[in-house]
Amino acid sequence: MTSTSPAKMRSALTATELKLRRQQRRGAAIRYAVLLVFGLIMLYPLIWLIGASFKTNSEIFSSPSFWPKEPTLDGYINGWQTSTPYTFARFFMNSALIIIPKTIGTAISCVLVAYGFARFEFPGKRILFGTVIATLLLPNVVTRIPQYLLFRDLGWLDSFLPLWVPSAVAGDAFFVFMLIQFLRAIPRDMEEAARVDGANTLQTLVFIVVPMLMPAIISVCLFQFMWTMNDFLGPLIYVSSVENYPVSLALKLSIDTTEAFDWNQILAMSVLTLAPSLLVFFVAQKYFIEGISTGGVKG
Amino acid sequence: MGGDNRYLGLAYVAPYIIGLLVFTAFPFLASLYLSFTDYDLLSKPEWTGLDNYERLMTRDRTFNKSLRVTLLYVFMTVPLKLAFALLVAVVLNYRLKAIGFFRTAYYVPSILGGSIAIAVLWRYIFAEVGLVNMGLEAIGLEPVNWFGDPQNALFTLTLLRCWQFGSAMVIFLAALQSVDKSLYEASSIDGANKWHQFRFITVPLITPVIFFNLIMQTVQAFQEFNGPYIITDGGPLKSTYLLPLYIYDKAFKSFDMGYASAIAWILFVIIMVLTLIAFWSSKKWVYYAGDKRS
């Protein structure tokens, strides 16, 4: 016989196929290993932070391991008390008092405005939409000083109003932009049907658009929660008395007032400061990823 | 919607218009005006013409130093962060099963990034006897004076922002996943290798996202405040004294509102000019596919 038998050919093929598959598997294994090691290096500071918050002060700077040799809650107990007349409970309360009204105001105003832009024609719309993009790129640093003077003249300093009010009038252009992007992707059939049935535009918004837009609205709320929780400069400028401090300012205060060697207190309070954001992120991460991929995000 | 009053839409965007006028447009113009005045909060703003700008440009050595540090910081942070984000996104984009897990893991630092607690953490792990130096010593390297040495301090702050490449990465990843796979198959039949594919297919198709990330990250980097404020307080020897810190000190510590506004305006003009250059140059390098939304 001059030609090879079909059976032989098949086995030859599977041999090269096997080789190829082995190569692919090796490639994937290498990629996984690199990603894993790299990820570990990236996340190790956070892992270390959690471990170190349970360490004694003498141990913190003596070994790079995250595992505490003599676990202690001292950092949490003493850190929580702070050197002020207030405990961290008060500061978390203040943070909540800033975040909740701000987030609600943001969600309502941004939905109304995005609906206006995405579903209506009106005079000056193009220019106004242009200002949304311009505001998106406008550095806050250039408006901060007159804003401060404005709030001072209104008598709003050392209250939460300067932190709430700009957001309650759709001041965060990024969210308006993100919601418009989402709205453009939603077909209008349902809304038009509702209008034919006699619903006015507000009813259409509340009963038809909002339910469909819910994932995007949740994204907006989550981002606003996260950013407000992390915001430092806003409270630093506007909130001056310790009783009104949110956690970000309280943490800075702990650094400034804690005795030089009480590291575990500061680390423990850092963990608590990060905990709400981490928790929310892990519970709702799909909304973050969606929000980011649609609107693009800072951070 | 058809048949509606043409002013109805205006009613819906009314909150935005109010906010725009009161909290953006008015402060924007007011800060321009203030930058030409001397204003210490106690007496009325006093018009001084170009005095503030003249002082900044010719006599203020702190401003000079601060401006140089800021530009250096931005030009280090932005390219490094974006290159990192793109590289990791490309690796993740190989059809890996655990893509969701890694995407989450790499995104976590971005989520927490702005927090004061992270700045605090940075201070601890880059301390002279901190985690990083302990690690270096464990593998037999010399410890580095990360924040104490003016040569290194700015770079250590840059590392903090590069560590937060996650959000840029997620945006890159979304763009990479929308690239038509058949393009790769066709090109590999034509004999293109992985690098050619990346260079001539992937990169051109994701230029809109590169452009977007570039602009957002640059605008942000110019406004960095928390890191230097908490970690180094601008030091040592003002080597991390970024312009936003200088503005803050002038405005809210020495209450020199006019002068601080002038610095803010110079910073704004720099950001604006760079943004305009980016937009102008984008016609040459950003590729928009005909039927895609930008």
Side-chain angles (χ1 to χ4, degrees):
Chain A
M1 275 209 163
T2 47
S3 64
T4 39
S5 70
K8 249 186 186 169
M9 249 175 81
R10 202 176 305 133
S11 72
L13 255 178
T14 37
T16 43
E17 245 175 25
L18 268 177
K19 199 176 152 199
L20 227 141
R21 221 173 274 167
R22 213 177 304 138
Q23 266 178 358
Q24 276 177 345
R25 216 175 300 152
R26 202 183 307 143
I30 291 171
R31 274 195 289 272
Y32 273 119
V34 170
L35 285 171
L36 208 65
V37 170
F38 185 60
L40 205 67
I41 293 173
M42 274 198 53
L43 292 183
Y44 194 72
L46 293 172
I47 299 167
W48 179 83
L49 170 68
I50 295 170
S53 69
F54 293 103
K55 288 179 180 174
T56 58
N57 281 316
S58 55
E59 200 195 330
I60 286 175
F61 288 122
S62 63
S63 104
S65 156
F66 72 93
W67 196 255
K69 281 194 202 88
E70 306 154 47
T72 166
L73 284 172
D74 281 2
Y76 285 89
I77 293 165
N78 299 330
W80 186 263
Q81 293 307 327
T82 76
S83 54
T84 70
Y86 310 97
T87 65
F88 255 82
R90 172 81 187 210
F91 303 133
F92 272 104
M93 187 67 187
N94 287 334
S95 279
L97 282 175
I98 294 171
I99 290 170
I100 294 167
K102 180 168 175 154
T103 306
I104 294 171
T106 303
I108 294 174
S109 63
C110 290
V111 166
L112 286 173
V113 172
Y115 182 60
F117 274 118
R119 293 294 193 256
F120 297 90
E121 289 305 322
F122 51 85
K125 178 175 162 178
R126 278 176 61 96
I127 296 172
L128 272 176
F129 186 70
T131 66
V132 175
I133 307 292
T135 317
L136 207 61
L137 294 173
L138 183 74
N140 295 327
V141 67
V142 79
T143 51
R144 194 165 289 132
I145 291 169
Q147 276 180 3
Y148 170 84
L149 298 172
L150 176 71
F151 294 132
R152 184 196 59 158
D153 291 343
L154 290 168
W156 288 1
L157 294 187
D158 206 19
S159 78
F160 298 150
L161 285 166
L163 304 171
W164 291 335
V165 176
S167 292
V169 286
D172 303 284
F174 166 70
F175 295 132
V176 175
F177 183 68
M178 189 173 118
L179 287 172
I180 292 175
Q181 295 286 82
F182 269 101
L183 264 173
R184 281 181 177 161
I186 296 179
R188 301 177 183 203
D189 321 10
M190 295 259 287
E191 293 162 55
E192 273 153 18
R195 298 282 284 128
V196 170
D197 289 345
N200 64 34
T201 54
L202 191 62
Q203 287 165 329
T204 312
L205 172 65
V206 174
F207 296 110
I208 309 288
V209 177
V210 167
M212 286 195 292
L213 203 56
M214 223 25 167
I217 298 174
I218 294 174
S219 290
V220 167
C221 292
L222 292 173
F223 274 114
Q224 186 64 293
F225 166 84
M226 208 69 97
W227 290 345
T228 312
M229 190 76 207
N230 289 344
D231 184 23
F232 176 70
L233 191 55
L236 180 68
I237 292 174
Y238 295 120
V239 180
S240 46
S241 42
V242 176
E243 55 172 304
N244 292 333
Y245 272 18
V247 279
S248 56
L249 285 190
L251 191 60
K252 168 70 174 148
L253 188 70
S254 313
I255 305 171
D256 296 341
T257 56
T258 310
E259 291 189 38
F261 302 107
D262 288 334
W263 298 305
N264 65 5
Q265 291 185 26
I266 292 169
L267 291 177
M269 291 308 107
S270 297
V271 171
L272 291 186
T273 306
L274 294 175
S277 302
L278 265 184
L279 203 74
V280 166
F281 173 67
F282 279 113
V283 171
Q285 52 161 309
K286 90 169 204 222
Y287 294 106
F288 282 98
I289 306 282
E290 268 169 31
I292 257 201
S293 313
T294 314
V297 89
K298 37 187 182 175
Chain B
M1 264 169 254
D4 287 326
N5 185 325
R6 57 196 290 266
Y7 293 100
L8 194 56
L10 270 179
Y12 281 106
V13 299
Y16 171 75
I17 299 175
I18 295 169
L20 178 72
L21 293 177
V22 178
F23 299 119
T24 307
F26 162 70
F28 180 71
L29 296 174
S31 79
L32 181 61
Y33 164 74
L34 283 176
S35 74
F36 294 110
T37 67
D38 184 13
Y39 184 35
D40 59 3
L41 290 183
L42 299 172
S43 49
K44 286 202 152 173
E46 189 188 326
W47 183 266
T48 54
L50 287 168
D51 274 13
N52 288 333
Y53 290 100
E54 205 240 309
R55 210 171 109 205
L56 278 168
M57 296 300 192
T58 56
R59 271 168 291 160
D60 188 340
R61 293 178 65 183
T62 308
F63 173 75
N64 200 305
K65 169 90 185 175
S66 182
L67 178 63
R68 268 185 296 145
V69 169
T70 309
L71 290 173
L72 191 61
Y73 173 77
V74 173
F75 289 126
M76 279 200 300
T77 307
V78 176
L80 218 64
K81 189 172 174 181
L82 290 186
F84 229 48
L86 183 57
L87 184 74
V88 176
V90 167
V91 176
L92 278 182
N93 194 38
Y94 286 102
R95 284 160 278 171
L96 291 184
K97 283 203 188 82
I99 179 171
F101 169 77
F102 286 114
R103 190 175 57 184
T104 304
Y106 292 147
Y107 187 41
V108 167
S110 286
I111 279 288
L112 305 174
S115 172
I116 291 307
I118 292 298
V120 171
L121 173 65
W122 223 247
R123 219 165 108 145
Y124 279 71
I125 60 176
F126 283 97
E128 277 195 83
V129 289
L131 183 63
V132 176
N133 277 348
M134 283 192 275
L136 286 179
E137 278 179 68
I139 55 172
L141 293 172
E142 286 287 301
V144 175
N145 192 353
W146 295 100
F147 283 123
D149 185 339
Q151 297 279 324
N152 303 335
L154 192 68
F155 178 69
T156 316
L157 286 180
T158 297
L159 280 182
L160 170 61
R161 286 305 163 233
C162 290
W163 183 58
Q164 292 149 15
F165 67 84
S167 64
M169 177 204 71
V170 172
I171 298 173
F172 278 137
L173 197 56
L176 287 173
Q177 286 174 338
S178 70
V179 173
D180 189 352
K181 299 285 177 295
S182 64
L183 290 172
Y184 296 121
E185 282 153 25
S187 70
S188 69
I189 292 169
D190 292 344
N193 64 27
K194 284 263 150 63
W195 167 249
H196 287 141
Q197 289 181 340
F198 177 72
R199 175 68 190 79
F200 296 111
I201 299 175
T202 314
V203 171
L205 282 175
I206 63 167
T207 43
V209 181
I210 297 178
F211 178 65
F212 174 85
N213 272 337
L214 181 70
I215 300 235
M216 290 316 258
Q217 297 293 343
T218 306
V219 173
Q220 229 176 69
F222 269 111
Q223 299 186 79
E224 171 67 50
F225 180 82
N226 290 4
Y229 184 80
I230 297 290
I231 304 175
T232 57
D233 200 14
L237 298 174
K238 299 226 181 293
S239 62
T240 58
Y241 199 54
L242 300 181
L243 281 174
L245 252 70
Y246 191 33
I247 296 171
Y248 174 81
D249 283 347
K250 277 287 171 206
F252 300 105
K253 282 191 179 149
S254 22
F255 298 106
D256 200 345
M257 294 294 177
Y259 200 62
S261 298
I263 309 170
W265 261 83
I266 291 180
L267 183 58
F268 168 67
V269 169
I270 293 171
I271 297 175
M272 199 181 62
V273 167
L274 287 177
T275 310
L276 287 178
I277 290 175
F279 268 102
W280 170 78
S281 77
S282 73
K283 285 178 202 126
K284 299 204 164 63
W285 62 274
V286 176
Y287 170 81
Y288 288 104
D291 57 344
K292 275 196 175 165
R293 70 191 165 90
S294 49

